[in-house]
Amino acid sequence: MQKCHLAVDIGASSGRVIAGFMEDEKLQLDVIHRFPNEMKKKNGHLIWDIDFLFNEIKKGIQLSTKKYKPITIGIDTWAVDFVLLDKDYHRLTDAIAYRDHRTDGMMEKVFERIPKETIYAETGIQFQPFNTLYQLAALKEETPEVFEQANYFLMIPDYLNFLLTGKISNEYTNATTTQLLGASSKDWLNEVLQSLDVPKHLFSTPTEPLSSLGEITAELKEEFGTSIEVILPGTHDTASAVAAVPSLDTIYISSGTWSLMGVELDKPITSHKAFSYNFTNEGGINHSIRFLKNIMGLWMIQQVRKEWDNKYSFAEFVDLAYEKEDFPSIVDVNSEQFLSPSNMIEEIQAYCKNSNQPIPVEPGEVAACIFNSLVEDYCNTAKQIEELTNREYSTIHVIGGGSQNNYLNEKLAEKSGKTIYTGPTEATAIGNIIAQMVATGEISSFEESKSVIQRSFEIHKFK
């Protein structure tokens, strides 16, 4: 039976269990199991059904054993969200979702205790209202008693890994997104935690990607009929996705619900200019810094599609945008009003009205407004990257599901003047599996993995 590595890749709307293995010197992928993921209302908050997610992971593993012999497994998810466990490893909190409104106004309250500039100088992390820092502050304000019982802080993939192995760990790439970790020290920051009155003992020393957490629990071995080693990829999905960028020395965009746009560096940039541009310095898999900016991404068109009762596919929205490509209105895609609105279309229309621009009404106008606004932001961000790194980049490489949007690709090439490369679409799962292969020695290095990716997957060019 073919040996394989399993990538569990869970995003904000869906999850997959994907088998990966080498055949004829190419990386082969086989999607074993797909499952939905959505925020649910509970006790007045938006939460993730983390027990459901773990059961779906187990289903995917079980299905994989009918076809392959899985030898390792790695989990990646979105960032910032977390749970707290007590001393007996029982979960004390729900996995409250980052789009929940509990953090409204919380950044300003935190800045009263510790200056914004100090936070950035220490962490190098972009200010977003849903960062773990502000979620913890909100939890402390709403239910302070939970901290009297709490013993362990685990981010979502950390908790899923705990359920697989019984081992407590805080994986490094995801830990960097919390705005609680030193960009240079790579340790939890006492000053920031003390400002929240959150005990540091909740946090374990960050564990580097490629580390092994050991085998799955005895109960799971019996359930699956096999032993599987749990390897840490970049458990933050963007860290795994960036590991799958096939180009070197390029600006990248990991394009999905969010657009993560940046470059890989050896050291963080925490200058006042980087602070003013709101760039982030997140940990990479290969001892790198992912110097990037979070841009709203395709979340806006995803919500618009729902509000039109899924009448149009994403491909149809692209076609409709071409028909209205000259529609002139541009919105700030990073405005907080688009983060979790009750009605995305009305919010876009209100923005255009308030800024004295034509109001998009038809589906093609709304789609063109969103896509053109994204391109505008991508181009501005590319200029900021070049200014902050003091170098020019001739290419932008787009990976992830959004790389299939040729309207965005063509307009970006046209407006930026750069060569745009796109693919692979399954970048996050590929980066996850690549990490497992490097950890086990099947691929000698991440440098070699670039060649593997280039010969295994289609890469397209726009100029």
Side-chain angles (χ1 to χ4, degrees), residues 253 375 378-379 396 408-416 420:
I253 302 175
V375 169
Y378 293 159
C379 290
I396 299 174
L408 281 176
N409 300 330
E410 291 174 7
K411 294 295 180 184
L412 182 57
E414 177 185 317
K415 190 169 179 64
S416 70
I420 309 303

Side-chain angles (χ1 to χ4, degrees), residues 21-274:
F21 54 92
M22 295 295 292
E23 186 175 88
D24 298 327
E25 296 189 333
K26 292 183 179 180
L27 178 58
Q28 308 293 328
L29 302 180
D30 185 4
V31 180
I32 301 294
H33 182 49
R34 294 184 184 271
F35 51 92
N37 183 31
E38 59 182 2
M39 296 173 285
K40 299 181 178 180
K41 276 281 189 182
K42 181 181 177 183
N43 299 328
H45 290 295
L46 288 171
I47 70 157
W48 305 106
D49 190 345
I50 200 161
D51 294 322
F52 167 79
L53 294 178
F54 185 63
N55 282 328
E56 293 302 311
I57 291 171
K58 291 200 296 181
K59 283 182 188 176
I61 296 172
Q62 194 73 66
L63 288 168
S64 76
T65 61
K66 300 180 185 305
K67 195 172 181 181
Y68 301 103
K69 179 175 175 53
I71 55 174
T72 66
I73 186 170
I75 297 176
D76 67 75
T77 78
W78 65 97
V80 303
D81 295 340
F82 64 92
V83 296
L84 298 180
L85 309 187
D86 67 14
K87 62 182 176 59
D88 297 316
Y89 306 106
H90 298 136
R91 197 169 77 230
L92 294 170
T93 61
D94 287 314
I96 297 181
Y98 60 86
R99 293 192 193 274
D100 184 78
H101 287 284
R102 69 175 174 165
T103 55
D104 290 355
M106 200 54 62
M107 282 205 302
E108 291 71 23
K109 291 183 179 180
V110 170
F111 299 154
E112 291 174 4
R113 304 178 213 170
I114 183 167
K116 188 175 183 180
E117 292 81 357
T118 300
I119 295 172
Y120 189 80
E122 291 287 347
T123 69
I125 294 298
Q126 178 180 4
F127 289 94
Q128 298 179 110
F130 49 74
N131 285 352
T132 313
L133 169 57
Y134 314 113
Q135 291 198 46
L136 277 170
L139 181 63
K140 185 75 177 181
E141 184 174 281
E142 184 179 58
T143 54
E145 65 277 5
V146 76
F147 289 92
E148 296 174 9
Q149 305 173 60
N151 261 60
Y152 304 103
F153 165 94
L154 295 178
M155 303 188 79
I156 301 303
D158 297 332
Y159 181 63
L160 294 171
N161 280 325
F162 165 74
L163 295 178
L164 280 178
T165 64
K167 304 282 181 61
I168 295 288
S169 70
N170 292 138
E171 187 272 331
Y172 167 67
T173 67
N174 221 327
T176 63
T177 70
T178 61
Q179 212 165 37
L180 298 166
L181 200 78
S184 297
S185 69
K186 297 187 178 182
D187 194 12
W188 304 103
L189 294 169
N190 276 323
E191 184 180 2
V192 178
L193 292 171
Q194 286 171 1
S195 74
L196 302 180
D197 195 24
V198 170
K200 189 179 179 182
H201 76 256
L202 300 181
F203 305 84
S204 61
T205 301
T207 308
E208 290 286 342
L210 309 190
S211 299
S212 172
L213 292 183
E215 297 182 344
I216 57 176
T217 63
E219 293 80 7
L220 291 176
K221 287 180 188 177
E222 185 175 350
E223 183 176 344
F224 302 139
T226 188
S227 175
I228 307 172
E229 184 181 9
V230 179
I231 300 286
L232 295 178
T235 66
H236 182 202
D237 51 12
T238 308
S240 279
V242 170
V245 175
S247 308
L248 294 170
D249 288 330
T250 185
I251 295 173
Y252 59 77
I253 302 175
S254 179
S255 179
T257 301
W258 291 91
S259 291
L260 296 311
M261 184 172 183
V263 291
E264 286 198 275
L265 301 176
D266 295 329
K267 296 179 180 179
I269 299 176
T270 57
S271 64
H272 181 75
K273 183 72 78 171

Side-chain angles (χ1 to χ4, degrees), residues 190-404:
N190 276 323
E191 184 180 2
V192 178
L193 292 171
Q194 286 171 1
S195 74
L196 302 180
D197 195 24
V198 170
K200 189 179 179 182
H201 76 256
L202 300 181
F203 305 84
S204 61
T205 301
T207 308
E208 290 286 342
L210 309 190
S211 299
S212 172
L213 292 183
E215 297 182 344
I216 57 176
T217 63
E219 293 80 7
L220 291 176
K221 287 180 188 177
E222 185 175 350
E223 183 176 344
F224 302 139
T226 188
S227 175
I228 307 172
E229 184 181 9
V230 179
I231 300 286
L232 295 178
T235 66
H236 182 202
D237 51 12
T238 308
S240 279
V242 170
V245 175
S247 308
L248 294 170
D249 288 330
T250 185
I251 295 173
Y252 59 77
I253 302 175
S254 179
S255 179
T257 301
W258 291 91
S259 291
L260 296 311
M261 184 172 183
V263 291
E264 286 198 275
L265 301 176
D266 295 329
K267 296 179 180 179
I269 299 176
T270 57
S271 64
H272 181 75
K273 183 72 78 171
F275 164 73
S276 67
Y277 287 159
N278 207 21
F279 269 76
T280 202
N281 293 267
E282 296 174 354
I285 289 181
N286 194 23
H287 305 290
S288 64
I289 292 294
R290 291 177 289 116
F291 184 65
L292 59 87
K293 182 178 279 191
N294 279 33
I295 299 168
M296 191 67 77
L298 298 177
W299 159 254
M300 295 174 73
I301 199 69
Q302 290 167 355
Q303 292 306 107
V304 165
R305 182 172 182 255
K306 287 181 182 177
E307 289 163 17
W308 267 313
D309 297 321
N310 297 323
K311 180 179 178 181
Y312 306 100
S313 68
F314 293 120
E316 287 171 328
F317 273 121
V318 170
D319 292 338
L320 291 165
Y322 275 116
E323 295 174 9
K324 300 289 183 178
E325 62 183 312
D326 292 328
F327 188 78
S329 298
I330 297 292
V331 302
D332 177 5
V333 294
N334 298 311
S335 173
E336 282 190 32
Q337 69 193 86
F338 302 126
L339 181 61
S340 188
S342 56
N343 188 292
M344 183 66 77
I345 297 170
E346 291 178 359
E347 210 65 52
I348 292 169
Q349 292 171 335
Y351 186 103
C352 293
K353 181 180 179 180
N354 293 337
S355 54
N356 297 314
Q357 300 182 90
I359 297 172
V361 177
E362 298 175 18
E365 293 173 342
V366 174
C369 178
I370 291 172
F371 296 152
N372 291 340
S373 298
L374 282 171
V375 169
E376 182 84 7
D377 203 88
Y378 293 159
C379 290
N380 290 337
T381 300
K383 290 175 183 175
Q384 291 172 350
I385 289 169
E386 291 179 328
E387 178 185 351
L388 292 167
T389 59
N390 195 30
R391 61 159 296 181
E392 290 186 7
Y393 292 87
S394 60
T395 64
I396 299 174
H397 201 121
V398 187
I399 54 173
S403 67
Q404 300 172 94

